Amino acid sequence: MCPMELLQGTLDLLILRTLELRPLHGVGIADRIEQVTGGVFTVGAGSLFPALHRLSDKGWIAGEWSELESGRRAKFYALTKPGRLQLAREKKSWAKAQTAVNQVLAEES
Amino acid sequence: MSRFDRILRPRRAEAELDEEVRSYYEVQVERAMARGLTREQAERAVRLSSGGSEQVKQLSREARMGAFLESIWRDVRFAARLLAKSPGFTFFAVLTIALALGANAAIFSLVDGVLLKSASYPEPERIVQLWEKNPRGGRNGIAPANYLDWVRQSKSFEAMAAFSFGSMSYSGGGEVRSLRSGHVSAPYFDVFGVKPALGRTFTRDEDQLGKGKVVILTHRVWTASFGSDPGIVGREIRLDGMPHTVIGVLPGSSEFDRRSNDIWVPLVFPAQVPRDYHTYGAMARLARGVSREQAQTEMSSIAEEIARQYPAAKKGWSAIVDNYMDRVNGPQIRLQLKVLMWAVAAVLLIGCVNLANLLMARGTLRSREMALRLALGAGPARIARMLLIESLLIASLGASAGLLLGYGLLRWIQQLMPPFFLPAEAHVAIDYRVLAFLAAAAVATSLAFGLMPALQASRGVAADALREGGRGSSAGKGKLLARHAFVSVQVAAAFMLLVGAGLLIRSFANVLNVDTGFSSEGLVAGYLPIVQDGDPDADRLRQYIDRAVGEIRSLPGVTGAAVASAIPLRGWGDGMPMWLPEKPDETRFTGFKIATPDYLRVLGLKVVEGRLLDETDKAGSPLVTVVNESFVRLYYPNQSVVGKRILVERILPTRRGLGPKSAWEIVGVVADEKGRGLESPNDIGAYASFAQNPVVGLGLVVRGQGEPGALIKSVQQALWRVNKDQVFDNPMAVEQWKEQSMVGRRMTVSLLAGFAVLALLLACAGIYGVLSFVTARRAQEMGIRAAMGATPGDLIRLVLTAGAIPVVLGLAVGLSGSIGLGTTIESLLFQTKAADPMTLGSVAAIFLLVAMAACLVPALRAARADPMTALRQD
């Protein structure tokens, strides 16, 4: 199966979910999503960074500079309080949408 | 890094983005190298899989911008929803801003059009106006002989042109009518730098004797009377019975289309011109690199040389060079506009203070909501931004409605003004400049009333509100003080406005009550331009006027008719130098009105001493004059003047110069006629009989029964029976002229009074709002007081006193301010003192009354305080 590009809304949701556990930097987030989805979704820099900036502008995540093990500086993003609320909302609506879509697909077959 | 930081420090934001993306790429490259690739191979692999770093950065920037706009839009929608939820507040707030900004827009477009916008002339600062300076130091008209010397001798000017305004009869296409004509030296249009829309302007020799039968049309007349005929240039039209060739049409919608002149013809001087009869104006364009001061120096020395050469006529005379644009607007109109601008600014200030107060009150009511938002993680900056966007939304709605209101107000003002009321250089319109002003004013306004409440809401309030259940106490004290200070500011500003309006209203009433010396009922007057080909013969002129006046007198309903060298309220005819035989070296001045004997009777001027002019004062009989009371008061205080003689030069019938000095015997004294308009400070004047000194340049006065319009029509027809080419020019009921002469004053007074009332209402709304708010917060205290035995009367007194303190403070400030204001506008006042105790007193009384009424409602509410409320709250 070829890796799939993510839709914007879904990517946002996955990033929020990924950061729910602990703060991560860009490479870490991309790795984590690829790893958790078993390589189904890859996140390129061209969609990752715009998404991070969009989310931090909405106030859902906040970035802070910190050092990697290699000693290199990187920006670590963490979920904010409004971000947590937003994630909860999105989880709910995702579940709803998923149920609805599944129903439609089940009907067809 | 917050969004505000990013906006304020874009360079730092860019550096951070760069480092972030670079660090990502480096990590990827290092990983690839760990898999055994060389650095080069690794870099290429990463570029292939992740795309170029510049592209990534650009996408991030765009995402950020999109998110920013989106979040602004979210705030706007949120603010709109909130405003829609409290329609009462929104309506009041938007209405306040709309009224204030509407007034500001209208007045700004006036100020901008009259005072700020520059004229369309090229290099207008090089245009100067020239005057003779009379021995009293005043600006004086110019005698043509002096003007011609100036042209020949001066080197400071690129072009110089004399002018005089008159009228010419035009009979093309129907009844004969008069066109307002400008008679100007050939270089006139070069002085202004005006290029014609069609054809050409005058060539330099077209103002020489024997030439000059050419005419330039204004765009206005070309459109209205010549059907915008593109082939007009070269056509002949008859003016004053003589053929004139049209050589050009001036540009439309320019200064020359806003001047009253319909046509322009060359001013041709006769071979012999007077040096002592000052009837022309002159304009000039400074040569490149010559300053006004240098031109003034040169002109003074030329004029002094003329004075040395012709001491009899010119002793003590000099010349004045004025920057033309500086004198387009008189000090009166400048001051009036300034006063109006300050007035609308004050209204806006009062409105802003009201809204700031309201928003702060709302902020307190909403402090729980705000606290919740803060607790949920919205930063203080975010909350401040949200509230500011709400203010900006109110201001924008208000500005949009204000634009319509301002447009309406401006239209009303423009309808009030008679044609050519403003100088031609004024160009008043709602244009992009007004829109830009309005936009800037809206933003400034939203900050003025929104910033403080927004900061207050985003700061400290959160903790406060949760703790106290939205009632704040200790922190509230500072805010209460601020609110009371707001009330004082509003009261002071509104009071000063009311006093200003009051002073002008009194002045207006005084002008209305001015005694003109005559009754204007049934009186109509206009000019009687007489076409002169060659020198009009004195006898023929007398006969012509006799026939014309006789024809009018025989009209049914006409009780009297006369001609005079100036008509009531529209001037004194000639201002003439005068000598007393006993002091032949001292020059005095007097208004000198030449009139048929009936003039004094038609006006009904009261005889104080001696007799009026009559039919026995004929051409051959001894020269006589009737003077007025002002004349006697100045030159012969407490003396009987009948039988005394004055020396005044006769005016030539052609009005092209002065005759010999003659002795006129004073035969009577009459009450003053207001010659120079209702507000003229002096009316020193003498009347001479037309039969003894016939001249052209006459006006016609008729008193009769019936509607003035019909009377004017029948007078015109009577004149046509005598001479089918005779025009009755610019005829008007004297009463209507009187009304028109008060338009400027009426306009300023109505506007200022309107603004003052608006300010008063807004200030009262402010007083009411603050007091209601304070009283509501003290409801518990009132309950306790009531429980402790305070009567409703006690409670009312308590609230009224609390309300009165800031009002009285504001009044005190306003009172001292309005005395300063009175002095500033003193020159606009008429027979009214700057610190008029009656005005100050009555305005203060009105103010206190209205302010107390505004306090009364909350006071009564407080009086109904139920002791139970003390227990029930919280």
Side-chain angles (χ1 to χ4, degrees):
Chain A
M1 186 178 180
C2 275
M4 286 160 67
E5 271 288 317
L6 278 163
L7 290 173
Q8 194 190 80
T10 321
L11 176 60
D12 287 358
L13 173 59
L14 290 189
I15 292 175
L16 289 179
R17 164 66 186 149
T18 309
L19 293 178
E20 194 180 7
L21 308 173
R22 62 188 167 96
L24 277 171
H25 56 94
V27 180
I29 295 170
D31 285 356
R32 174 93 191 148
I33 289 177
E34 217 174 315
Q35 180 193 340
V36 170
T37 61
V40 175
F41 294 128
T42 58
V43 187
S47 44
L48 176 66
F49 283 102
L52 288 176
H53 283 267
R54 194 166 52 238
L55 291 175
S56 74
D57 245 54
K58 286 181 177 167
W60 293 338
I61 60 177
E64 202 169 305
W65 288 96
S66 181
E67 279 191 8
L68 296 172
E69 288 148 35
S70 64
R72 185 177 298 287
R73 253 160 63 88
K75 206 172 196 176
F76 279 73
Y77 287 94
L79 213 54
T80 61
K81 255 190 281 181
R84 244 169 248 287
L85 289 175
Q86 177 64 17
L87 177 58
R89 265 198 302 273
E90 285 199 20
K91 272 182 184 165
K92 231 183 269 166
S93 67
W94 176 261
K96 248 195 228 160
Q98 199 190 20
T99 320
V101 171
N102 282 343
Q103 270 170 1
V104 173
L105 294 178
E107 222 166 69
E108 210 181 347
S109 58
Chain B
M1 191 173 189
S2 81
R3 179 177 306 122
F4 292 108
D5 283 344
R6 265 212 306 273
I7 291 167
L8 295 176
R9 279 174 297 189
R11 207 167 297 150
R12 204 181 124 202
E14 203 42 48
E16 281 203 14
L17 177 62
D18 186 62
E19 185 178 354
E20 188 181 0
V21 173
R22 193 146 33 93
S23 136
Y24 174 91
Y25 276 87
E26 285 298 324
V27 171
Q28 299 284 30
V29 168
E30 275 161 21
R31 272 195 200 167
M33 284 164 71
R35 286 202 304 269
L37 297 177
T38 64
R39 182 155 193 103
E40 242 170 55
Q41 287 168 325
E43 275 174 5
R44 207 175 53 230
V46 171
R47 236 194 334 272
L48 272 176
S49 66
S50 302
S53 66
E54 277 313 312
Q55 191 194 350
V56 169
K57 280 195 273 182
Q58 186 51 35
L59 285 170
S60 303
R61 273 182 229 123
E62 277 163 18
R64 197 152 84 208
M65 207 52 224
F68 178 58
L69 291 179
E70 199 183 296
S71 76
I72 291 267
W73 177 234
R74 214 172 30 237
D75 279 1
V76 170
R77 271 186 321 195
F78 182 67
R81 259 206 312 279
L82 272 187
L83 290 180
K85 250 191 242 166
S86 41
F89 165 80
T90 307
F91 177 74
F92 178 76
V94 171
L95 181 70
T96 303
I97 295 300
L99 288 172
L101 283 185
N104 271 279
I107 298 303
F108 174 78
S109 63
L110 267 186
V111 170
D112 186 45
V114 178
L115 299 182
L116 302 182
K117 243 182 259 173
S118 57
S120 70
Y121 313 128
E123 301 176 82
E125 66 285 351
R126 283 171 61 201
I127 305 174
V128 292
Q129 184 161 11
L130 309 175
W131 307 83
E132 289 210 47
K133 184 178 174 185
N134 61 35
R136 287 169 295 178
R139 290 177 171 77
N140 206 97
I142 303 163
N146 303 322
Y147 164 75
L148 292 173
D149 281 351
W150 291 358
V151 171
R152 272 191 291 270
Q153 295 171 24
S154 66
K155 302 206 162 33
S156 301
F157 309 104
E158 199 173 277
M160 191 192 295
F163 64 87
S164 77
F165 297 147
S167 68
M168 297 179 96
S169 66
Y170 167 66
S171 51
E175 288 176 342
V176 63
R177 64 193 182 98
S178 74
L179 295 175
R180 282 170 295 242
S181 50
H183 303 253
V184 297
S185 308
Y188 189 75
F189 295 99
D190 301 333
V191 169
F192 286 100
V194 177
K195 299 270 170 291
L198 278 183
R200 59 175 178 90
T201 52
F202 304 127
T203 55
R204 288 282 165 120
D205 63 345
E206 266 170 331
D207 58 4
Q208 299 304 307
L209 256 181
K211 303 209 171 189
K213 292 290 177 266
V214 290
V215 59
I216 295 172
L217 306 178
T218 57
H219 193 272
R220 194 179 61 222
V221 154
W222 177 58
T223 317
S225 304
F226 298 92
S228 306
D229 174 8
I232 189 78
V233 172
R235 253 182 64 189
E236 272 194 353
I237 61 173
R238 287 185 89 76
L239 296 169
D240 277 355
M242 308 274 279
H244 286 68
T245 307
V246 177
I247 60 164
V249 176
L250 293 174
S253 64
S254 69
E255 281 84 357
F256 277 85
D257 235 22
R258 294 192 292 267
R259 263 178 227 289
S260 61
N261 311 74
D262 299 314
I263 55 171
W264 298 84
V265 292
L267 171 59
V268 180
F269 290 121
Q272 287 296 315
V273 288
R275 194 165 288 282
D276 54 356
Y277 191 57
H278 309 89
T279 47
Y280 294 98
M283 306 288 307
R285 176 169 282 265
L286 291 170
R288 208 165 284 284
V290 174
S291 71
R292 187 202 64 81
E293 288 73 16
Q294 287 165 324
Q296 174 69 69
T297 311
E298 191 198 27
M299 287 302 293
S300 298
S301 73
I302 292 174
E304 275 150 31
E305 183 52 37
I306 293 175
R308 256 193 298 283
Q309 260 181 294
Y310 309 96
K314 305 299 323 171
K315 194 175 163 225
W317 289 70
S318 184
I320 294 178
V321 180
D322 277 329
N323 187 320
Y324 173 67
M325 294 311 296
D326 286 351
R327 289 189 61 85
V328 163
N329 298 299
Q332 289 277 42
I333 182 122
R334 276 172 200 274
L335 186 56
Q336 278 173 11
L337 287 175
K338 253 184 241 165
V339 167
L340 287 176
M341 198 74 227
W342 279 112
V344 290
V347 169
L348 185 58
L349 171 77
I350 294 171
C352 282
V353 169
N354 262 2
L355 292 191
N357 250 332
L358 264 178
L359 282 177
M360 274 165 75
R362 246 164 85 87
T364 316
L365 295 178
R366 275 159 65 180
S367 54
R368 280 190 170 176
E369 174 202 332
M370 293 303 156
L372 200 62
R373 283 174 180 280
L374 277 175
L376 287 178
R382 186 65 211 273
I383 285 191
R385 191 187 88 180
M386 218 177 65
L387 290 174
L388 272 181
I389 282 182
E390 191 180 280
S391 303
L392 200 60
L393 194 62
I394 293 172
S396 310
L397 288 173
S400 313
L403 183 63
L404 293 178
L405 285 176
Y407 182 73
L409 182 59
L410 190 67
R411 286 297 297 269
W412 180 74
I413 293 172
Q414 283 175 324
Q415 267 162 21
L416 220 59
M417 295 189 288
F420 312 117
F421 176 75
L422 292 175
E425 282 74 13
H427 185 35
V428 177
I430 299 266
D431 54 11
Y432 75 96
R433 292 167 62 104
V434 179
L435 292 182
F437 166 82
L438 207 53
V443 173
T445 303
S446 69
L447 286 179
F449 71 75
L451 195 59
M452 214 166 115
L455 289 181
Q456 179 205 309
S458 64
R459 223 185 279 139
V461 174
D464 239 34
L466 283 183
R467 205 170 45 239
E468 296 182 56
R471 235 180 339 107
S473 62
S474 59
K477 259 203 189 113
K479 269 180 271 155
L480 267 186
L481 205 65
R483 289 214 176 89
H484 286 311
F486 279 176
V487 168
S488 298
V489 168
Q490 286 186 312
V491 168
F495 181 77
M496 283 172 64
L497 255 186
L498 273 179
V499 169
L503 289 174
L504 286 181
I505 288 173
R506 275 211 82 180
S507 301
F508 188 59
N510 290 342
V511 174
L512 277 179
N513 289 330
V514 158
D515 179 14
T516 56
F518 55 85
S519 145
S520 52
E521 203 192 328
L523 206 57
V524 299
Y527 294 103
L528 206 58
I530 289 168
V531 176
Q532 27 177 340
D533 36 348
D535 282 357
D537 173 75
D539 282 331
R540 270 179 45 210
L541 193 55
R542 264 191 294 262
Q543 284 160 19
Y544 179 62
I545 292 300
D546 275 355
R547 274 174 54 215
V549 172
E551 187 70 30
I552 293 164
R553 217 177 266 146
S554 68
L555 288 171
V558 166
T559 54
V563 298
S565 56
I567 50 185
L569 297 176
R570 289 198 247 181
W572 249 105
D574 298 86
M576 296 292 284
M578 173 192 93
W579 299 266
L580 307 183
E582 57 272 25
K583 292 172 190 160
D585 292 334
E586 287 177 29
T587 312
R588 287 143 209 268
F589 291 88
T590 179
F592 196 68
K593 197 176 266 199
I594 296 169
T596 51
D598 255 1
Y599 180 77
L600 300 172
R601 262 187 296 279
V602 171
L603 253 62
L605 294 181
K606 209 170 81 218
V607 186
V608 179
E609 198 188 342
R611 65 170 175 93
L612 296 178
L613 299 172
D614 59 35
E615 305 301 333
T616 62
D617 304 316
K618 289 197 295 259
S621 58
L623 296 177
V624 296
T625 181
V626 167
V627 298
N628 66 13
E629 283 183 293
S630 290
F631 181 100
V632 174
R633 248 197 314 277
L634 185 67
Y635 295 132
Y636 295 99
N638 307 316
Q639 294 175 48
S640 168
V641 294
V642 170
K644 292 192 189 299
R645 280 160 201 280
I646 56 173
L647 299 175
V648 177
E649 288 148 314
R650 294 173 79 142
I651 300 168
L652 298 184
T654 54
R655 273 192 178 278
R656 285 194 183 134
L658 296 175
K661 227 180 254 182
S662 312
W664 305 72
E665 185 187 338
I666 299 174
V667 293
V669 179
V670 291
D672 286 359
E673 158 199 6
K674 278 283 164 199
R676 297 188 189 90
L678 294 172
E679 299 183 40
S680 82
N682 76 69
D683 279 290
I684 298 152
Y687 299 89
S689 165
F690 177 76
Q692 295 188 332
N693 190 0
V695 284
V696 295
L698 294 170
L700 176 63
V701 190
V702 181
R703 196 188 288 277
Q705 280 133 22
E707 198 264 318
L711 182 60
I712 287 169
K713 231 174 232 151
S714 55
V715 167
Q716 173 68 80
Q717 257 134 24
L719 286 171
W720 282 337
R721 284 197 290 277
V722 176
N723 169 7
K724 68 171 178 37
D725 288 330
Q726 180 61 58
V727 179
F728 188 24
D729 186 22
N730 203 1
M732 213 182 275
V734 172
E735 190 57 38
Q736 191 193 343
W737 180 264
K738 204 163 141 184
E739 287 287 318
Q740 270 196 13
S741 71
M742 290 186 288
V743 160
R745 200 170 261 290
R746 185 184 293 277
M747 196 175 79
T748 315
V749 164
S750 331
L751 287 174
L752 199 60
F755 297 152
V757 169
L758 184 57
L760 177 66
L761 290 180
L762 285 176
C764 284
I767 296 169
Y768 169 80
V770 168
L771 207 60
S772 305
F773 179 74
V774 172
T775 315
R777 280 164 62 108
R778 284 170 73 183
Q780 200 172 9
E781 176 202 332
M782 293 295 168
I784 294 172
R785 284 177 189 271
M788 303 293 283
T791 64
D794 291 336
L795 296 180
I796 290 179
R797 208 170 311 123
L798 194 72
V799 174
L800 280 187
T801 319
I805 290 171
V807 172
V808 170
L809 261 173
L811 278 184
V813 174
L815 201 64
S816 47
S818 54
I819 289 171
L821 174 78
T823 325
T824 316
I825 63 170
E826 200 153 21
S827 64
L828 296 181
L829 304 183
F830 184 74
Q831 295 172 1
T832 307
K833 282 204 196 72
D836 179 37
M838 196 178 109
T839 306
L840 287 176
S842 49
V843 168
I846 291 175
F847 213 110
L848 268 179
L849 249 151
V850 180
M852 284 302 111
C855 293
L856 207 59
V857 179
L860 289 178
R861 205 179 296 138
R864 285 198 304 270
D866 181 354
M868 287 309 287
T869 53
L871 307 172
R872 233 182 276 127
Q873 274 213 344
D874 279 343

